[in-house]
Amino acid sequence: RKDDLTTIVVFGASGDLAKKKTFPALFHLYVSNLLPLHSRIFGYARSNLSREDFEARVTANIGKTPEERAKIPGFLKICDYIQGQYDKGEDFRRLLENIVKQERVMTADIYSDYENAVINKRNKRVFYLALPPSQFVSVASQIKQNAYDPKHVNRLVIEKPFGNDSESSHQLSEDIGKLFSEDEVYRIDHYLGKEMVKNILALRFANVFYQAVWNKEHIANIQIVFKETIGTEGRGGYFDNVGIIRDVIQNHLLQVLSIVAMEEPSSLKSEDIRDQKTEVLKKIKPIGLDQVLLGQYTKSADGSKPGYKDDAGVPENSNTPTFAEMVLEIDNDRWRGVPWVIKAGKALDNAKVLIRIQFKERSGDMFPDLARNELVVQVSPEEAIYMKTLVKEPGLSTNLTISELDLTYRSRFEGIKIPDAYSTLILDVLNGDHSNFVRADELEEAWRIVTPLLHQIDSGKVEPLPYPYGSRGPEGVDEFPELRAGYKVPEI
Ligand code: BG6
């Protein structure tokens, strides 16, 4: 609502996430007039930043066009920096004083008295933790003790990693759950803010023709693919404790899978959606070693690109996978018997994130030996939906050919700027919409699926297969799903 007062505190304001994602997203909302009229943003961090230093960080990644640049001074006016420790009550109390001071200033514009605004729950305080997970609980607990007031609307935003296996994730949820109610917590998985991921719901449930064929009767297999061309490039020290499964599969790709696979929610309300996502994850058994092909990249064939183990911080004997391909099954009436192939890797031959749904062959003798229909939803690099469709070869021929109904967003929705995932997610937080955030029970299910496998990898029992930087993946990458599915799954 226009007369709401909104305060956003960005913890970790001097860090990379804030600089690259959080501040640009807030600026984007500001420029688009989507930040509530009465908003204040506080950056909070340990570093002793001057006003200039702070402004330099806030503006480092914004203002690409002259129109945007013209809005920077106005944006900076609503931003303030507060230096403080993450474990000192007095610093958080000082933060609260500043919040209240600014709220009173904002109230003066619209309400006769501050208490009235508070009583009507017109005050929102969003605490955004752009921090490493080791700080989550301590900062959340400082907020709770020193900067939390139940008379206001309080929201806590955190971002993955949420633990590194079932147990640690459960512990984190429990610790956070003692401080903030689930309703107050927003767990960011930035894939849920991506245009084409958000689109799945519309595609599936607003179109009668997809709704009708979205099941094992008509679908042969589904592939969810995440390919990057870059390796870990200097992040190896961090990545080695993570690996590709924790980095993108447990979170981003299982989230995508749950939306593609879930039953129709009874409404668009966030809890109805999240109930269905959780339900479908419950129907997936933990992945066994025989369901997965693991790889680790080595030097490129021409020697120009380094191998994973050449990255500083990666131990010589590391068995951390930088590639994983797995075939899952969902044990419910809609999907029983349909293979779900998840493929993710770094340092591969091309950069693509997509969902590919391959339909079964048409039955009957009228058109024998036809290629299969496919629906592809491309998440990146370019948003697109295309449907491989059989048509008669144009002209005098009566042969059939496979072509594409192509909905490439750049050409179809010319001039529309697709927002960064973080802008849409922060807007959701401001609106109190949880649909695109991960609930504790969903998180638990996703970890349950991958934890036994991760433990086997962590204990050193598994050796990933080598693949050269820039290749399609380890040997067997194309045959692996075929072996599991019992028929050829098309290559990507
Ligand atoms: C992050 C991973 O969560 O997602 C990165 O930690 C990965 O390793 C990134 O590169 C991919 O996100 P996007 O938005 O670039 O597809």
Side-chain angles (χ1 to χ4, degrees), residues 135-201:
Q135 311 263 29
F136 287 172
V137 178
S138 112
V139 171
S141 121
Q142 286 297 341
I143 295 170
K144 187 64 194 280
Q145 288 169 51
N146 299 300
Y148 180 97
D149 181 344
K151 290 202 293 299
H152 299 251
V153 175
N154 297 279
R155 295 184 179 146
L156 183 80
V157 184
I158 50 178
E159 176 147 6
K160 70 142 192 135
F162 306 121
N164 66 358
D165 60 4
S166 287
E167 210 185 339
S168 52
S169 174
H170 185 80
Q171 186 63 51
L172 178 67
S173 295
E174 217 173 77
D175 292 346
I176 296 281
K178 282 184 194 139
L179 302 163
F180 287 83
S181 69
E182 187 61 26
D183 199 39
E184 292 172 321
V185 178
Y186 291 75
R187 290 181 198 82
I188 289 194
D189 180 314
H190 80 282
Y191 264 61
L192 295 181
K194 288 188 183 261
E195 184 71 23
M196 299 315 278
V197 176
K198 289 171 76 175
N199 206 10
I200 300 169
L201 218 58

Side-chain angles (χ1 to χ4, degrees), residues 23 49 51 61 68 71 101-102 104 115 152 154 173 189 212 224 227 263 278 288 292 312 325 373 396 403 476 485:
F23 287 122
L49 300 183
R51 176 77 201 176
N61 290 300
E68 282 187 5
K71 300 260 187 176
K101 203 160 104 192
Q102 287 300 333
R104 285 183 182 277
E115 276 64 33
H152 299 251
N154 297 279
S173 295
D189 180 314
I224 299 174
K227 289 175 79 167
E263 294 302 308
T278 312
V292 62
E325 180 170 33
N373 289 133
L396 296 177
S403 189

Side-chain angles (χ1 to χ4, degrees), residues 6-11 124-128 153-157 426 429-430:
T6 304
T7 304
I8 301 159
V9 185
V10 181
F11 291 93
K124 268 182 219 150
R125 294 171 178 173
V126 174
F127 302 101
Y128 188 115
V153 175
N154 297 279
R155 295 184 179 146
L156 183 80
V157 184
I426 294 177
V429 174
L430 297 178

Side-chain angles (χ1 to χ4, degrees), residues 160 190-191 194 226 228 235 238 247-248 252 346 353 380:
K160 70 142 192 135
H190 80 282
Y191 264 61
K194 288 188 183 261
F226 170 102
E228 285 189 324
R235 281 174 74 224
Y238 156 79
D247 194 38
V248 300
H252 308 328
K346 298 204 170 265
V353 179
S380 65

